[in-house]
Amino acid sequence: QKEVEQNSGPLSVPEGAIASLNCTYSDRGSQSFFWYRQYSGKSPELIMFIYSNGDKEDGRFTAQLNKASQYVSLLIRDSQPSDSATYLCAVTRGARDDKIIFGKGTRLHILP
Amino acid sequence: NAGVTQTPKFQVLKTGQSMTLQCAQDMNHNSMYWYRQDPGMGLRLIYYSASEGTTDKGEVPNGYNVSRLNKREFSLRLESAAPSQTSVYFCASSEGNRGRGQFFGPGTRLTVL
């Protein structure tokens, strides 16, 4: 089993709709969870982090964590063409962020 | 604050040549990392430095060496470049023990002919 799994996509979503990105992880000891956005030809940019079960909202972004199911998701409301990018899920081994495992990412395409 | 900076942005080498990729951060972070990213492979950790004075191997260290010059700077050296080292290289930094994530530099696109 891969440590962090994401559907590679592409995930196509109409402009204005909700984009839902999913991630599962294998290490039950993981304590911190991150979503990075990476535009083509650019570096990964940290957009959300979550530590506790439940939802965390920041603007149009909501991160959801379910530790029992080992599942993390990212919802993007009112999707814009500028949201088209690859989204990387990352989890820590334990609590330290010097041991982060990245998923391979999901390509998101927002259709104008 | 510039965050994490990397030089050079692009580099073309011939097989067997050597070079050093430079990375610096101004966020007073303890930990620094070197990754490579290849199509279909995702981000792979080459080396990391959990704190000044320490370095450890990551997932793909062969063919690379690193130096943590001080708290701000972390360099990656290719002693004898090979075509398999053609990749995009990212440096990142983090606080290290707070679980607040890693922050990436803009990357170096390296081609080895």
Side-chain angles (χ1 to χ4, degrees), chain A residues 34 36 38 43 51 97-99, chain B residues 33 37 96 99-100 102 105:
Chain A
F34 308 93
Y36 287 79
Q38 186 174 23
S43 59
Y51 308 134
D97 52 25
D98 55 0
K99 297 185 189 302
Chain B
Y33 316 84
Q37 188 175 41
R100 294 185 180 176
Q102 297 177 8

Side-chain angles (χ1 to χ4, degrees), chain A residues 19 33-37 45-50 54-64 73-79 83 87, chain B residues 103:
Chain A
F33 307 85
F34 308 93
W35 284 100
Y36 287 79
R37 177 177 62 199
E45 174 193 7
L46 179 63
I47 56 172
M48 291 287 287
F49 60 86
I50 187 167
D55 295 359
K56 179 182 179 182
E57 188 174 318
D58 183 1
R60 295 187 296 112
F61 298 97
T62 299
Q64 299 176 316
S73 64
L74 179 70
L75 302 178
I76 306 175
R77 290 182 299 282
D78 188 23
S79 297
D83 295 324
Y87 289 80
Chain B
F103 297 85

Side-chain angles (χ1 to χ4, degrees), chain B residues 27-88:
Chain B
M27 295 178 282
N28 200 36
H29 283 168
N30 293 313
S31 303
M32 298 184 73
Y33 316 84
W34 278 104
Y35 292 90
R36 60 178 290 175
Q37 188 175 41
D38 303 289
M41 301 296 291
L43 283 164
R44 291 185 292 171
L45 183 64
I46 305 171
Y47 270 95
Y48 70 100
S49 171
S51 61
E52 188 178 355
T54 68
T55 60
D56 285 288
K57 294 179 181 179
E59 181 185 355
V60 289
N62 291 346
Y64 305 96
N65 285 301
V66 291
S67 295
R68 182 77 182 265
L69 303 170
N70 48 55
K71 190 172 185 178
R72 292 186 61 248
E73 298 173 290
F74 189 39
S75 63
L76 178 71
R77 182 160 179 84
L78 286 71
E79 290 291 351
S80 180
S84 61
Q85 294 178 305
T86 294
S87 188
V88 180

